[in-house]
Amino acid sequence: MDSRVVSERLAEAFRHFMLYTPPDRVNRCLRTLLIEYIGHNKDFLSPEFDDWMDDLSLLFSLLDTAAKETRGWYDTDDNEIQLHKGPEEGTEAHEENAEGI
């Protein structure tokens, strides 16, 4: 059995991120940065680059899942958050939604 436990502080930070940051936008930004980095440094990549890619692959997978699960939460225009469409803080729906994250 896995004895690792997510602390309340980490869970709250993740809930806050998910409520106010569109994961698909973060995903696109990180992928673009990665392509730019590789394009400019392809001849000089770090020996740890394969390990970085493994970690980033897991992060991209998490962001892909988060984007699917939060579809419709955000009104976006040109990658800028215009209005958060999730449940209002302090409401029962918000609390239920935050618990599910």
Side-chain angles (χ1 to χ4, degrees):
M1 185 164 121
D2 194 345
S3 62
R4 295 173 287 191
V5 176
V6 174
S7 71
E8 184 57 36
R9 181 177 164 201
L10 175 57
E12 182 57 34
F14 188 73
R15 279 191 288 270
H16 185 269
F17 175 82
M18 291 304 304
L19 289 172
Y20 298 103
T21 308
D24 55 341
R25 184 184 68 192
V26 175
N27 204 350
R28 277 193 311 274
C29 288
L30 288 174
R31 288 175 192 257
T32 299
L33 285 169
L34 179 60
I35 297 301
E36 289 287 323
Y37 175 82
I38 293 170
H40 290 289
N41 297 289
K42 62 182 175 245
D43 295 328
F44 306 101
L45 294 174
S46 169
E48 294 96 20
F49 188 76
D50 288 341
D51 293 332
W52 299 349
M53 288 305 301
D54 290 342
D55 294 342
L56 285 172
S57 178
L58 291 171
L59 179 59
F60 291 145
S61 179
L62 171 65
L63 291 169
D64 287 338
T65 300
K68 289 174 189 169
E69 293 291 321
T70 60
R71 200 163 314 288
W73 282 20
Y74 316 94
D75 281 338
T76 57
D77 183 279
D78 196 28
N79 293 330
E80 295 296 323
I81 298 175
Q82 301 299 319
L83 173 68
H84 171 63
K85 290 173 60 172
E88 292 297 316
E89 284 192 44
T91 66
E92 185 175 334
H94 177 269
E95 296 304 318
E96 289 173 3
N97 203 24
E99 287 174 12
I101 296 176

